[in-house]
Amino acid sequence: MIDLNKVTKIHKNGTVALDKVTFHIDSGEFVFITGASGAGKSSIIKLLLGEEAPTYGDAVLGGYNVKKLTRRQIPKYRRQLGVVFQDFRLISSINVYDNVAFAMRAVGRPRREIKSRVEAVLEIVNLSSKKNSMPDQLSGGEQQRVALARAIVNAPKVILADEPTGNLDGRLSLEMMRMLDYINKSGITVVVVTHADNLVNILGKRVITLDHGRIVSDEPEVRRSEA
Ligand code: ADP
């Protein structure tokens, strides 16, 4: 699903943000990418969003090489992705239902399909009772669940979450991770970029750790016995 092959990103000022980063993420995997501030996490996100191209090497997602994306291909490329940001990024002037429906309207889905699909995803994130609420009437945890509903509503191949628990307390952070895990179980590949080591350690998923732009470890998922 995602292939980085010796990806190096050098900024104009000479800063090496990524240094020969190579990893492969299979379809259906759940992967954490961690590292201290400045390690290169945002650089990976920008790369996978198709916002920046590698200076050297190749980054391929869903068969598209990021370096070779044409302007016309970018919307199609992005449609493979559902994105969750640290700061939720909801539209404050419209309610929960419309925030989620917006993503489907933007790609021209028919009205009837929008209604049933939005209601289904609000159910998944446990927010059916809040569909008429405005974002500022919700807690941080609820706002992030709306963002997650919006990310999955168009059935993306990959969920890309950029510090999704950065504005949540411990309990809500764990709840958000468990929800991502649940969504992953439906077959969507999930990539979570975070520096929240405590959560990463609890969940036992594959963890790719960056330091100064290099991969310093790539720990496989801890398989727990199903006893
Ligand atoms: P993280 O998200 O892990 O904090 P980043 O990917 O943002 O790390 O940054 C990796 C390195 O690249 C850092 O040293 C950062 O200062 C540098 N960097 C990021 N963006 C730019 C830019 N536009 N110009 C110059 N240096 C940058």
Side-chain angles (χ1 to χ4, degrees), residues 26-44:
D26 268 333
S27 179
E29 273 197 86
F30 187 128
V31 183
F32 283 114
I33 298 178
T34 69
S37 178
K41 303 184 297 298
S42 304
S43 302
I44 299 264

Side-chain angles (χ1 to χ4, degrees), residues 11-13 15-17 35-44 46 52:
H11 289 285
K12 285 197 193 86
N13 66 1
T15 306
V16 180
S37 178
K41 303 184 297 298
S42 304
S43 302
I44 299 264
K46 285 183 190 141
E52 285 187 0

Side-chain angles (χ1 to χ4, degrees), residues 12 24 34 36 40 50 64 70 78 101 103 118 134 168 170 182 200 211:
K12 285 197 193 86
H24 171 82
T34 69
Y64 290 87
T70 63
R78 294 250 171 92
V118 172
M134 301 300 280
L168 305 180
Y182 176 78
V200 168
D211 185 31

Side-chain angles (χ1 to χ4, degrees), residues 5 7 15 58-59 70 73 119 138 142 156 163 203 208 219:
N5 188 14
V7 166
T15 306
D58 291 296
T70 63
Q73 285 174 325
E119 286 180 356
L138 303 179
E142 288 167 340
E163 297 282 2
L203 289 156
I208 297 173
E219 299 283 333

Side-chain angles (χ1 to χ4, degrees), residues 45-190:
I45 291 273
K46 285 183 190 141
L47 199 71
L48 297 180
L49 285 174
E51 288 176 0
E52 285 187 0
T55 311
Y56 304 109
D58 291 296
V60 179
L61 188 150
Y64 290 87
N65 188 325
V66 169
K67 204 158 58 181
K68 294 178 183 157
L69 280 178
T70 63
R71 198 173 279 210
R72 276 187 57 181
Q73 285 174 325
I74 286 176
K76 214 167 172 192
Y77 174 82
R78 294 250 171 92
R79 244 171 266 160
Q80 306 180 100
L81 299 169
V83 190
V84 177
F85 298 99
Q86 175 170 358
D87 55 359
F88 320 138
R89 302 199 192 175
L90 303 177
I91 303 171
S92 59
S93 57
I94 60 176
N95 68 21
V96 166
Y97 180 94
D98 286 328
N99 261 281
V100 180
F102 184 83
M104 289 186 84
R105 293 183 186 128
V107 295
R109 306 307 306 173
R111 217 169 119 150
R112 189 179 299 168
E113 184 193 330
I114 291 176
K115 186 167 187 301
S116 65
R117 178 74 185 151
V118 172
E119 286 180 356
V121 294
L122 286 176
E123 185 90 40
I124 291 172
V125 300
N126 217 354
L127 279 177
S128 299
S129 64
K130 304 270 181 181
K131 67 178 179 185
N132 297 316
S133 300
M134 301 300 280
D136 67 2
Q137 296 172 319
L138 303 179
S139 69
E142 288 167 340
Q143 289 186 55
Q144 194 59 306
R145 274 147 55 200
V146 178
L148 186 57
R150 181 185 55 189
I152 61 175
V153 77
N154 284 322
K157 292 183 186 154
V158 178
I159 293 281
L160 202 55
D162 186 5
E163 297 282 2
T165 62
N167 284 316
L168 305 180
D169 68 24
R171 188 180 60 82
L172 292 177
S173 295
L174 189 58
E175 178 192 88
M176 176 55 49
M177 292 301 188
R178 296 225 185 277
M179 219 162 252
L180 285 164
D181 190 26
Y182 176 78
I183 285 160
N184 171 248
K185 298 238 162 25
S186 75
I188 300 180
T189 307
V190 174

